[in-house]
Amino acid sequence: MSQFSVDAFMSYFVETAIEGDHAAHMALISKSVAVYGVPGFEVIAYEDWSRQCAEEFARNLIKAISYDNIQIVSETDSLICFETQETIEARDGTVNRNRLEVFLARETDEQWRIVQETILPAAGQSFGGGA
């Protein structure tokens, strides 16, 4: 793997969210980000993500976040794709778990940021169809 550490990036991503540091957290997300697979939304863009974080951070809703089983799928000098298990625990006890595919890119300012995230179906499930 390159000098860039996905584990360190994601640890800082979690730290900024838990601390409610909106500016630092959003600095880790590309202005051109696209999030796919969120029920009820075709795509979530930067402004949507920023607005949701601002609300959650202001209300101190997040108790814990973890990204486990990070598996690098592919990488170049400027783009890394990995899969992980995201777990978010709210202060009210609600726990949400999702398998994610995440793309990190080194942008023109040399900073690594999330440029795409897709919520993957749970193991053994697939998108589409259903009864």
Side-chain angles (χ1 to χ4, degrees), residues 4 9 28 77-80 104-106 110-113:
F4 180 77
F9 180 93
L28 300 172
D77 289 339
S78 60
L79 187 67
I80 299 172
L104 298 175
R106 183 170 30 197
E110 296 300 313
Q111 296 300 306
W112 287 89
R113 293 188 179 90

Side-chain angles (χ1 to χ4, degrees), residues 63-64 66 86-98:
K63 178 178 179 183
S66 65
E86 174 188 63
T87 304
I88 300 174
E89 183 180 354
R91 294 205 181 275
D92 69 1
T94 303
V95 176
N96 289 309
R97 289 184 181 88
N98 291 296

Side-chain angles (χ1 to χ4, degrees), residues 4 10-11 23 42 61 81 88 113 128:
F4 180 77
M10 295 309 292
S11 290
E42 186 172 328
L61 296 179
C81 174
I88 300 174
R113 293 188 179 90

Side-chain angles (χ1 to χ4, degrees), residues 54-70:
E55 179 181 323
E56 289 175 357
F57 294 176
R59 295 174 55 205
N60 196 28
L61 296 179
I62 301 169
K63 178 178 179 183
I65 304 173
S66 65
Y67 293 92
D68 299 311
N69 303 318
I70 292 174

Side-chain angles (χ1 to χ4, degrees), residues 27-91:
L28 300 172
I29 301 165
S30 176
K31 299 277 188 188
S32 62
V33 72
V35 179
Y36 301 101
V38 177
F41 296 91
E42 186 172 328
V43 65
I44 292 178
Y46 180 88
E47 290 304 321
D48 303 316
W49 193 331
S50 179
R51 204 172 14 260
Q52 179 178 341
C53 285
E55 179 181 323
E56 289 175 357
F57 294 176
R59 295 174 55 205
N60 196 28
L61 296 179
I62 301 169
K63 178 178 179 183
I65 304 173
S66 65
Y67 293 92
D68 299 311
N69 303 318
I70 292 174
Q71 300 291 319
I72 304 295
V73 175
S74 62
E75 71 176 296
T76 67
D77 289 339
S78 60
L79 187 67
I80 299 172
C81 174
F82 66 94
E83 291 183 6
T84 187
Q85 176 71 38
E86 174 188 63
T87 304
I88 300 174
E89 183 180 354
R91 294 205 181 275

